[in-house]
């Protein structure tokens, strides 16, 4: 495999189902050696921010609903599964699950993408409170908030891929 292929294999999933970000970062020569979570995050985030609105929307839409159908069916990416489980979203009561489902539906209908939050260090109650607050944002506010959360998720994923850096 080429160095580019290795790079894309390693970092192509950092932005959920969006390997084009890693491909463009590599092709632009943005990678500093040795690789660190900060240098890779800076490069990938730079590409994400320069992507068209439609491409960034596609990245948002690639994220799964929190505690949604993919989680129930066991079809989350391993990163998403671990992140949601770490926040207790895999252990919701039927009432809590119903509330998440209701909010997921309303949020997606309003904004056109799923609710995205970096769940590491948060409880299901923290996430629910953020969900209930953010659903009242304007479309512009929520797009900005969701893209910032995607960047935070990417950093957390990189920190686990490149520990000690």
């Amino acid at each position: 495999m080429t160095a580019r292929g290795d790079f894309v294999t390693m970092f192509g999933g950092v932005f959920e189902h969006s390997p084009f970000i890693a491909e463009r970062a590599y092709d632009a020569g943005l990678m500093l050696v040795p690789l660190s979570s900060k240098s890779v995050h800076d490069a990938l985030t730079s590409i994400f921010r320069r992507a068209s609105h439609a491409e960034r929307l596609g990245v948002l839409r690639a994220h799964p609903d929190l505690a949604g159908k993919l989680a129930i069916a066991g079809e989350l990416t391993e990163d998403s599964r671990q992140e949601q489980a770490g926040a207790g979203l895999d252990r919701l009561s039927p009432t809590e699950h119903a509330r998440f489902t209701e909010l997921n539906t309303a949020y997606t209908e309003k904004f056109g993408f799923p609710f995205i939050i970096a769940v590491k260090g948060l409880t299901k109650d923290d996430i629910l409170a953020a969900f209930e607050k953010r659903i009242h944002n304007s479309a512009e506010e929520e797009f900005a908030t969701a893209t910032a959360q995607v960047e935070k998720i990417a950093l957390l994923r990189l920190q686990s891929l490149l520990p000690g850096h």
Side-chain angles (χ1 to χ4, degrees):
M1 188 174 289
T2 66
R4 181 184 192 268
D6 291 340
F7 183 84
V8 173
T9 295
M10 185 162 192
F11 301 115
V14 169
F15 282 77
E16 194 90 10
H17 297 294
S18 301
F20 78 89
I21 295 172
E23 292 166 351
R24 290 180 189 173
Y26 187 89
D27 293 345
L30 297 178
M31 305 323 311
L32 301 174
V33 178
L35 297 178
S36 70
S37 56
K38 181 180 180 347
S39 68
V40 176
H41 186 258
D42 289 349
L44 296 179
T45 299
S46 171
I47 296 298
F48 178 61
R49 290 177 182 173
R50 285 189 267 169
S52 71
H53 181 84
E55 288 172 323
R56 286 180 287 137
L57 180 59
V59 172
L60 299 182
R61 288 180 173 160
H63 281 261
D65 287 339
L66 293 177
K69 292 176 281 218
L70 292 177
I72 292 167
E75 296 177 11
L76 295 175
T77 64
E78 184 59 21
D79 285 331
S80 289
R81 188 196 65 73
Q82 288 179 5
E83 291 158 0
Q84 290 197 27
L89 298 181
D90 59 340
R91 299 178 299 280
L92 297 175
S93 72
T95 302
E96 291 167 331
H97 188 267
R99 182 65 179 142
F100 269 91
T101 300
E102 175 186 323
L103 285 167
N104 278 326
T105 300
Y107 183 98
T108 302
E109 285 175 2
K110 180 175 181 179
F111 298 113
F113 53 87
F115 178 77
I116 301 167
I117 190 168
V119 299
K120 186 172 183 172
L122 300 179
T123 66
K124 61 186 175 185
D125 293 327
D126 297 330
I127 296 164
L128 194 57
F131 215 147
E132 290 175 340
K133 179 180 178 209
R134 285 175 46 193
I135 199 162
H136 300 291
N137 283 349
S138 70
E140 297 78 22
E141 287 175 306
E142 198 51 29
F143 188 85
T145 300
T147 56
Q149 288 295 309
V150 164
E151 291 177 10
K152 184 175 181 181
I153 292 165
L155 179 60
L156 293 168
R157 289 177 176 178
L158 285 165
Q159 288 170 338
S160 71
L161 284 171
L162 297 167
H165 293 278

